[in-house]
Amino acid sequence: EQTEKVRLEVEKLSGSLKTMDTNDISGKDVSDSASKLLDFSLPKKSEDDFDAHTSEKFVFEDLRLNGIGWMFVNRISIVGACIGCGNTTNLDLESGKENKQWCAGKKCSKLLNIVMDPVLIHESNLRKGFLIITDSVAIQDITRISSLVSCFECGSHASVSDIVRGRITVKNCFECHNAMRIFFQDVLLQGLSTQVESRQQKVFKRKQRRDPRIVPGKPLPNEGTCKHYRKSHRWLRFPCCGRAFPCDVCHELEAACPETKWATRQICGYCAKEQPFSKDKPCLKCGKTIGTTKSTSHWEGGKGQRNQEKMSSKDRKKYSNSSKKTASNKHNRVGNAKKKLQAKAKKQES
């Protein structure tokens, strides 16, 4: 019976494209507590519009809803790069609202215009997410997600903020105290149009010489390495800001976080698969080693090799204080020692 009520409510919401109020949901088919709702704008994109869209569209990987009738994304934070100059910027987007701002790059006067349109998500439609319509920004990463959800038990609505990848987010209903749980592994980019992608690749090749986007199945810029850690092929996602960086040093230099927290997730530099953080385990998808390998030199940031048998022959510490170290015989071949040897050889000949 409760499932049927949720189904009827989803059908009613899917057919409405205007702002919801208490007059729109009166009736016996919808739950009684539905009159106690938040004022919000319904998603303007249907499932068919989502499938037919050719620009950037994002889907949830392994999305699970427990105690939730339906949900849709109403606010996100993204990291994007300007198509004109490649300058990276942070943008906050709300559902259905057009975001306009001027690019902050040097000698660039491009207007960054971007709109986020979500899709209504329920148990029969878990593989959808939201659309991002833009011709001036290349979406690099989704850092924060907030959504509006409906309680499965009483039908009342609540806002859930800061939904984190790979971790269960719990929100208790204000009416019936039902626990509403949301879980997903990652947000994946799909369906980029050929025209937009070719234009982005051309600009990035000329300006940045790399594509800054995190696209599943494609390698990260420089295969996840940076100037601080050239053997670490991964990016780390820090929970303090939600952004991904090649290392902790890059995070401290670029992010203005008041408190730095340890990274809990990582992104493979070879295939861009996001997964829980691991110190030395290979990637879950491609199987390649993405962390620092076994050290072969003495230093390497304090984590280097100390076994002289396994050290590189070019390491100056390999033969330090060792019996295998050769001694110089130069003092017997030059100067007075050489003259004495020559005189001794003459006496033996005579």
Side-chain angles (χ1 to χ4, degrees):
E1 182 182 356
Q2 194 67 28
T3 305
E4 183 66 17
K5 289 182 179 180
V6 173
R7 186 187 66 81
L8 293 173
E9 187 177 0
V10 168
E11 291 180 356
K12 190 174 185 67
L13 291 174
S14 301
S16 178
L17 298 178
K18 59 183 182 350
T19 302
M20 176 179 289
D21 54 30
T22 56
N23 296 325
D24 295 331
I25 52 174
S26 59
K28 297 181 179 180
D29 294 336
V30 187
S31 58
D32 297 336
S33 61
S35 59
K36 302 177 182 179
L37 297 176
L38 302 173
D39 290 333
F40 61 92
S41 296
L42 292 175
K44 297 181 180 180
K45 298 295 183 180
S46 64
E47 299 179 19
D48 296 335
D49 295 336
F50 185 90
D51 295 333
H53 196 66
T54 58
S55 187
E56 285 95 340
K57 55 183 179 182
F58 293 83
V59 299
F60 290 101
E61 180 185 12
D62 193 18
L63 176 62
R64 305 173 193 174
L65 303 178
N66 189 351
I68 295 176
W70 53 263
M71 66 166 284
F72 69 88
V73 178
N74 63 344
R75 188 177 295 106
I76 63 172
S77 298
I78 68 171
V79 179
C82 174
I83 292 295
C85 65
N87 179 64
T88 302
T89 182
N90 299 324
L91 298 171
D92 295 327
L93 306 178
E94 293 187 14
S95 171
K97 294 185 179 180
E98 188 175 13
N99 186 298
K100 291 184 178 182
Q101 69 179 55
W102 296 102
C103 177
K106 296 181 179 179
K107 299 181 180 180
C108 181
S109 58
K110 191 172 187 61
L111 180 62
L112 305 181
N113 189 3
I114 184 170
V115 179
M116 188 269 291
D117 282 328
V119 177
L120 197 67
I121 302 172
H122 45 86
E123 285 295 335
S124 302
N125 184 32
L126 295 178
R127 286 292 298 174
K128 301 293 189 297
F130 51 90
L131 306 173
I132 294 184
I133 304 173
T134 179
D135 58 354
S136 56
V137 180
I139 310 302
Q140 179 181 357
D141 191 16
I142 308 295
T143 58
R144 295 189 183 278
I145 298 177
S146 300
S147 66
L148 195 71
V149 300
S150 170
C151 177
F152 183 81
E153 298 294 335
C154 66
S156 60
H157 299 168
S159 179
V160 183
S161 60
D162 294 338
I163 305 174
V164 182
R165 295 172 172 88
R167 191 177 69 186
I168 299 176
T169 303
V170 182
K171 179 77 173 182
N172 291 326
C173 177
F174 290 108
E175 299 295 331
C176 65
H177 308 290
N178 173 48
M180 300 178 289
R181 297 179 176 89
I182 303 175
F183 174 85
F184 66 93
Q185 287 288 355
D186 198 5
V187 183
L188 307 179
L189 170 65
Q190 290 186 354
L192 189 63
S193 64
T194 306
Q195 181 179 3
V196 175
E197 186 172 14
S198 61
R199 181 182 178 187
Q200 291 178 353
Q201 293 286 0
K202 182 179 179 180
V203 172
F204 295 140
K205 184 176 181 181
R206 184 177 72 252
K207 298 290 184 180
Q208 290 189 329
R209 298 183 180 179
R210 64 176 177 85
D211 190 343
R213 297 169 298 166
I214 300 177
V215 182
K218 295 184 180 181
L220 296 177
N222 301 324
E223 293 185 342
T225 62
C226 65
K227 62 181 180 181
H228 308 111
Y229 294 88
R230 299 187 182 276
K231 296 184 179 180
S232 178
H233 296 269
R234 62 184 174 186
W235 280 13
L236 306 176
R237 188 175 296 280
F238 294 87
C240 49
C241 59
R243 296 180 59 185
F245 294 93
C247 69
D248 55 340
V249 181
C250 295
H251 173 255
E252 293 178 359
L253 294 176
E254 298 184 26
C257 298
E259 181 183 2
T260 301
K261 298 181 181 180
W262 291 102
T264 56
R265 297 182 67 80
Q266 62 185 10
I267 305 174
C268 176
Y270 298 103
C271 64
K273 169 66 176 178
E274 185 158 343
Q275 53 203 285
F277 175 80
S278 176
K279 186 176 181 180
D280 51 3
K281 292 183 180 180
C283 174
L284 299 177
K285 184 177 182 181
C286 65
K288 296 183 179 180
T289 302
I290 57 179
T292 54
T293 58
K294 291 184 178 180
S295 305
T296 58
S297 62
H298 177 77
W299 183 235
E300 289 188 2
K303 299 180 181 180
Q305 183 62 256
R306 297 297 184 272
N307 189 345
Q308 291 180 326
E309 294 182 356
K310 295 182 180 180
M311 281 185 186
S312 172
S313 59
K314 297 180 181 180
D315 197 311
R316 63 185 181 89
K317 295 287 186 178
K318 183 174 179 64
Y319 300 107
S320 177
N321 299 324
S322 173
S323 59
K324 297 180 180 180
K325 183 178 180 180
T326 57
S328 176
N329 197 32
K330 185 178 180 179
H331 63 281
N332 292 327
R333 295 183 283 105
V334 296
N336 293 332
K338 182 179 180 180
K339 293 179 180 179
K340 290 180 180 180
L341 290 175
Q342 290 176 352
K344 186 178 180 179
K346 288 181 179 181
K347 287 182 180 181
Q348 292 178 354
E349 289 178 359
S350 62

